[in-house]
Amino acid sequence: MAPLHVGDIGLVNLSLIAAVSGIFYIAYKVVYNVLFHPLRSFPGPISHRISNVPRAIQMMRGHLPFHVADLHREYGPVVRIAPDELAFSDPQAWKDIYGHRAPGQEEFAKHKGFYRPFDAMPTSIISDPREEHSAVRRQLAHGFSDRSMRGQEPIIGEYVDLLVQRLHANAEGGKKAVNMREWLNWTTFDIIGDLGFGSSFGMLASSDYHPWVKLIVQTVKQSGQLQALINVGLRPVVQFLSRNGFLKSRDEHRALVRNKLSQRIEMGAERPDLIEGLIATHKKDEKAMPFPKLAINAGTLIVAGSETTATLLSGAIYLLTAYPETLSKLTHEVRSSFSDDKEITLFSVANLHYMLACINESFRRYPPVAFGMPRQVPKGGAQVAGHFIPEDTVTAVWQYAANHDPNNWKDPMGFHPERFMGDPGFKTDKLDALQPFSVGPRNCIGRNLAYAEMRLILAKIIYNFDLTLADESRNWLEGQKAYILWEKPALDVYLTPAVHS
């Protein structure tokens, strides 16, 4: 063995010092996070109070929303799920975190690590600072107005009628189960393609996924996994992957958005669609709405206006077919309200009150966004659900957890639309715990359109078909994973053409 030189000994000593220093730093962080951190008084597993790693592992596995729900059941309505992060299930937290603030009070800012994982990423209506968000929302408001919805009605109705036609053709009179997850996805993406870019993706006509939609699904899952890396301090790695072309599905998705958007701008004609206001601003003043910002907002609307709607409808159809008595009551309401399919429109379905209760209960049991949308406590700290929270703490109400908390709901794992109909058996329910579109100045601008579209699609299906869940989909909810949005398996349902008296 060759003798060690003085330089080698120095190198060994430096390595030893570095290793010992690292161990001491880790030990210091553990002691600080548990005993001296400003959040030390809030309950949670010791592993989560020490490190972000347990949270990140659950995120990578697609189990984080269910894990947070379990933590709430064990520790109560406020839980420390990471050294600097608190999860809430108390309904008051919706108002305190996301609601309007009193004059002079700073809002809870969007958590940059979640909403802007890449420094070069333009902001959108979801991640804009307060003043920019207000401007973009005003520009989008026309596309979501009641007047625009009336102009959009024949566009949406055409695709829903095509859905019914295609289901009749593929269900073979109820002899063959159809995958409703796919048909609902194809419908909502075709609708949002037309409302967003002036032409559909052609999926209902082709009975197949457009490559772009496959990219969106891949990108959503990828985004959840990247969030896990950011949570454990690997944001520089995520930035490196972004700069060097390793996130191909995301980059391809953005390229397709830009191309489709360019085609929509070249159409020239005004349409009652969702982005007419943004395009008008872009044409008038490119500094006020540069093309990259226009594109990222258009891409955001595509995902928010299609995947979430299809997810809720998939959940609703599963839950209704899994609870035949509830489906029977809803079927009676729909078929007794209309004497002909043509009477079912985007606006006439507003009179279906039991259907609205079924949709809300589906939102509760199967929220399209199961996660918490994180905000940071402003300077000086703030009160949330009766607790003083130090500044810079990451806070959120986790929808799946709040929607299944027994402190908020009687029989939270059941399916009871009656709780939204004033049934005295559910008088202890805290209905304001359910906020699928969030609250406050940044609530979802598409709420009214989404409710109308969901009611129309569901009413048309139930009016035209008797639904029976296929055996292979009996346990559809079990084992599903959530990467910000859900990774949904096939939902096989038998559709028998309805017989109307």
Side-chain angles (χ1 to χ4, degrees), residues 271-293:
R271 302 178 73 248
D273 61 25
L274 304 181
I275 63 170
E276 175 62 35
L278 295 182
I279 291 175
T281 303
H282 170 71
K283 289 180 176 179
K284 183 178 180 180
D285 184 0
E286 290 195 21
K287 290 184 179 179
M289 180 56 63
F291 186 82
K293 189 172 183 68

Side-chain angles (χ1 to χ4, degrees), residues 32-91:
Y32 173 79
N33 286 339
V34 173
L35 299 179
F36 302 104
H37 194 283
L39 301 182
R40 62 187 178 275
S41 63
F42 290 95
I46 187 71
S47 59
H48 293 55
R49 288 184 278 161
I50 288 172
S51 169
N52 280 300
V53 171
R55 183 194 192 283
I57 291 173
Q58 295 292 341
M59 181 79 168
M60 291 290 285
R61 296 173 62 199
H63 294 171
L64 188 54
F66 324 120
H67 179 64
V68 172
D70 290 339
L71 294 180
H72 277 301
R73 279 190 284 271
E74 182 176 354
Y75 293 98
V78 53
V79 183
R80 189 178 173 193
I81 62 172
D84 301 311
E85 182 174 2
L86 297 176
F88 290 85
S89 63
D90 188 323

Side-chain angles (χ1 to χ4, degrees), residues 33-320:
N33 286 339
V34 173
L35 299 179
F36 302 104
H37 194 283
L39 301 182
R40 62 187 178 275
S41 63
F42 290 95
I46 187 71
S47 59
H48 293 55
R49 288 184 278 161
I50 288 172
S51 169
N52 280 300
V53 171
R55 183 194 192 283
I57 291 173
Q58 295 292 341
M59 181 79 168
M60 291 290 285
R61 296 173 62 199
H63 294 171
L64 188 54
F66 324 120
H67 179 64
V68 172
D70 290 339
L71 294 180
H72 277 301
R73 279 190 284 271
E74 182 176 354
Y75 293 98
V78 53
V79 183
R80 189 178 173 193
I81 62 172
D84 301 311
E85 182 174 2
L86 297 176
F88 290 85
S89 63
D90 188 323
Q92 180 61 37
W94 280 113
K95 301 172 186 177
D96 293 339
I97 297 173
Y98 305 94
H100 292 272
R101 304 283 285 165
Q105 288 186 337
E106 188 179 346
E107 73 169 5
F108 283 56
K110 296 287 185 88
H111 178 45
K112 182 179 178 182
F114 182 85
Y115 290 97
R116 291 197 67 200
F118 314 110
D119 289 337
M121 181 179 178
T123 58
S124 69
I125 188 171
I126 290 180
S127 57
D128 279 329
R130 185 172 184 172
E131 291 185 5
E132 287 185 48
H133 170 268
S134 298
V136 172
R137 192 175 177 107
R138 284 194 301 271
Q139 293 155 14
L140 282 170
H142 172 74
F144 292 93
S145 67
D146 184 68
R147 179 180 177 182
S148 288
M149 280 180 62
R150 294 190 180 279
Q152 294 158 3
E153 181 178 17
I155 298 173
I156 297 172
E158 180 181 349
Y159 289 108
V160 180
D161 287 341
L162 179 57
L163 166 66
V164 173
Q165 294 171 22
R166 302 294 287 140
L167 289 177
H168 272 295
N170 285 267
E172 298 181 3
K175 297 176 182 177
K176 175 186 175 184
V178 295
N179 183 354
M180 290 303 294
R181 179 204 65 189
E182 292 186 335
W183 286 101
L184 293 168
N185 257 79
W186 296 339
T187 303
T188 58
F189 272 98
D190 273 358
I191 290 171
I192 203 67
D194 201 320
L195 293 183
F197 295 116
S199 61
S200 78
F201 294 102
M203 291 190 289
L204 280 173
S206 66
S207 302
D208 196 10
Y209 281 98
H210 188 283
W212 189 358
V213 178
K214 292 181 179 179
L215 281 176
I216 289 174
V217 174
Q218 294 169 7
T219 300
V220 168
K221 181 175 180 179
Q222 185 184 78
S223 296
Q225 294 170 337
L226 292 175
Q227 284 295 327
L229 296 179
I230 291 171
N231 288 153
V232 293
L234 297 179
R235 195 167 192 267
V237 174
V238 173
Q239 300 280 4
F240 173 83
L241 295 174
S242 176
R243 287 193 303 268
N244 291 277
F246 287 96
L247 308 179
K248 290 184 179 180
S249 60
R250 184 208 64 167
D251 295 338
E252 290 176 21
H253 164 64
R254 290 184 176 179
L256 285 166
V257 170
R258 291 192 293 268
N259 291 337
K260 192 85 168 173
L261 182 58
S262 296
Q263 294 172 13
R264 167 65 184 87
I265 292 173
E266 290 170 6
M267 289 175 62
E270 290 188 13
R271 302 178 73 248
D273 61 25
L274 304 181
I275 63 170
E276 175 62 35
L278 295 182
I279 291 175
T281 303
H282 170 71
K283 289 180 176 179
K284 183 178 180 180
D285 184 0
E286 290 195 21
K287 290 184 179 179
M289 180 56 63
F291 186 82
K293 189 172 183 68
L294 176 58
I296 198 167
N297 275 295
T300 298
L301 289 177
I302 285 290
V303 177
S306 55
E307 176 64 25
T308 54
T309 304
T311 295
L312 187 280
L313 286 169
S314 295
I317 285 181
Y318 167 73
L319 290 162
L320 287 166

Side-chain angles (χ1 to χ4, degrees), residues 270-487:
E270 290 188 13
R271 302 178 73 248
D273 61 25
L274 304 181
I275 63 170
E276 175 62 35
L278 295 182
I279 291 175
T281 303
H282 170 71
K283 289 180 176 179
K284 183 178 180 180
D285 184 0
E286 290 195 21
K287 290 184 179 179
M289 180 56 63
F291 186 82
K293 189 172 183 68
L294 176 58
I296 198 167
N297 275 295
T300 298
L301 289 177
I302 285 290
V303 177
S306 55
E307 176 64 25
T308 54
T309 304
T311 295
L312 187 280
L313 286 169
S314 295
I317 285 181
Y318 167 73
L319 290 162
L320 287 166
T321 51
Y323 290 81
E325 290 185 8
T326 301
L327 176 58
S328 179
K329 289 179 65 175
L330 179 58
T331 301
H332 174 74
E333 180 187 57
V334 171
R335 295 181 187 174
S336 64
S337 298
F338 305 103
S339 58
D340 188 87
D341 176 89
K342 292 183 175 59
E343 295 177 0
I344 306 174
T345 69
L346 197 66
F347 293 94
S348 67
V349 293
N351 297 317
L352 300 174
H353 302 298
Y354 190 66
M355 174 173 282
L356 178 60
C358 290
I359 288 175
N360 282 332
E361 181 69 342
S362 299
F363 267 125
R364 189 191 67 79
R365 284 288 283 113
Y366 192 65
V369 180
F371 276 65
M373 299 290 100
R375 300 287 186 90
Q376 279 188 283
V377 177
K379 296 296 181 185
Q383 290 285 332
V384 178
H387 301 272
F388 177 78
I389 312 300
E391 63 184 49
D392 295 330
T393 301
V394 178
T395 59
V397 179
W398 287 69
Q399 289 204 33
Y400 184 89
N403 293 359
H404 293 82
D405 191 328
N407 292 313
N408 296 335
W409 310 95
K410 179 181 178 181
D411 188 19
M413 302 309 293
F415 184 67
H416 305 287
E418 289 73 20
R419 70 173 86 242
F420 293 99
M421 299 287 289
D423 189 315
F426 299 94
K427 63 182 179 181
T428 59
D429 281 359
K430 300 174 183 177
L431 300 185
D432 55 346
L434 180 69
Q435 300 292 346
F437 296 92
S438 193
V439 300
R442 289 177 181 261
N443 69 339
C444 178
I445 193 172
R447 175 191 173 111
N448 292 339
L449 177 60
Y451 266 119
E453 183 183 340
M454 289 184 291
R455 283 201 244 189
L456 176 62
I457 292 172
L458 197 54
K460 285 274 190 175
I461 292 172
I462 289 175
Y463 185 85
N464 283 278
F465 301 100
D466 295 325
L467 282 63
T468 305
L469 188 64
D471 288 341
E472 53 268 30
S473 292
R474 290 286 170 194
N475 299 315
W476 187 72
L477 278 180
E478 293 182 14
Q480 283 196 38
K481 297 181 179 181
Y483 301 95
I484 300 179
L485 301 178
W486 295 86
E487 190 174 60

